[in-house]
Amino acid sequence: MDATDIPLRLVGTFYAFAGIVATRAAISSRFLDRALAAITMKKPPLSETAQSLWLITASLIILAGGTALMLKADVAVWVFLVSSILQALYIFLVAPLWFDREDPPDAKGRQSTPNAFVIYLGATAFVVWAFSTGRLVPWQQLPRPAIYGSASAVLLYIGYVIWSLRR
């Protein structure tokens, strides 16, 4: 165990928790959109549905990356990189061109998203550094119970999310 073990696991724990919180917020937003649509007797706009699904998927990827990092698995670097790319696409391309056209976010909301992205990029850089210096373990070398337990927890949560969206 070296000095980076604890910070790596803390960052992993933070992003696993953040993935759960963000997923729950996106599911709640989706439910509110559907409730408002039922009250007004109008279908929710396709852009709102797509945005909810994008945010839920992105949150689940963040959860998976955090969980992998808690284990110090080398796959965490790839999950963090994919998540960073998807977040950049969302902030700089998808949201401004499609999601925000009909319902632009308030100034505070617009600023908090890039701020969180910059922090996530810092975490991603830390994970890339840990990977490049050999501080992450090849997933094949991790104890099987840790892999099975973590994978099961993430898959069960994904099942719960799918079940919640279908209700």
Side-chain angles (χ1 to χ4, degrees), residues 30-156:
R30 177 75 181 128
F31 285 150
L32 287 174
D33 290 345
R34 290 168 67 183
L36 288 173
I39 291 169
T40 61
M41 304 290 241
K42 295 179 183 174
K43 281 187 148 186
L46 181 59
S47 63
E48 284 183 18
T49 300
Q51 184 176 29
S52 292
L53 293 176
W54 179 291
L55 294 175
I56 289 167
T57 303
S59 300
L60 290 172
I61 293 170
I62 289 169
L63 166 65
T67 303
L69 190 57
M70 285 170 48
L71 295 173
K72 290 184 46 186
D74 61 350
V75 297
V77 72
W78 304 111
V79 180
F80 268 77
L81 288 169
V82 166
S83 182
S84 294
I85 291 166
L86 290 174
Q87 287 182 42
L89 283 171
Y90 178 84
I91 292 168
F92 300 112
L93 187 65
V94 176
L97 293 178
W98 194 35
F99 295 149
D100 295 346
R101 264 196 287 170
E102 293 177 24
D103 186 20
D106 62 353
K108 184 179 175 185
R110 185 171 297 280
Q111 188 54 44
S112 65
T113 303
N115 290 346
F117 177 59
V118 168
I119 293 168
Y120 193 82
L121 285 179
T124 302
F126 181 50
V127 174
V128 168
W129 171 82
F131 176 76
S132 67
T133 58
R135 286 174 169 80
L136 299 181
V137 179
W139 69 270
Q140 300 92 335
Q141 294 178 10
L142 292 171
R144 294 291 175 230
I147 294 172
Y148 296 147
S150 298
S152 295
V154 171
L155 290 173
L156 282 171

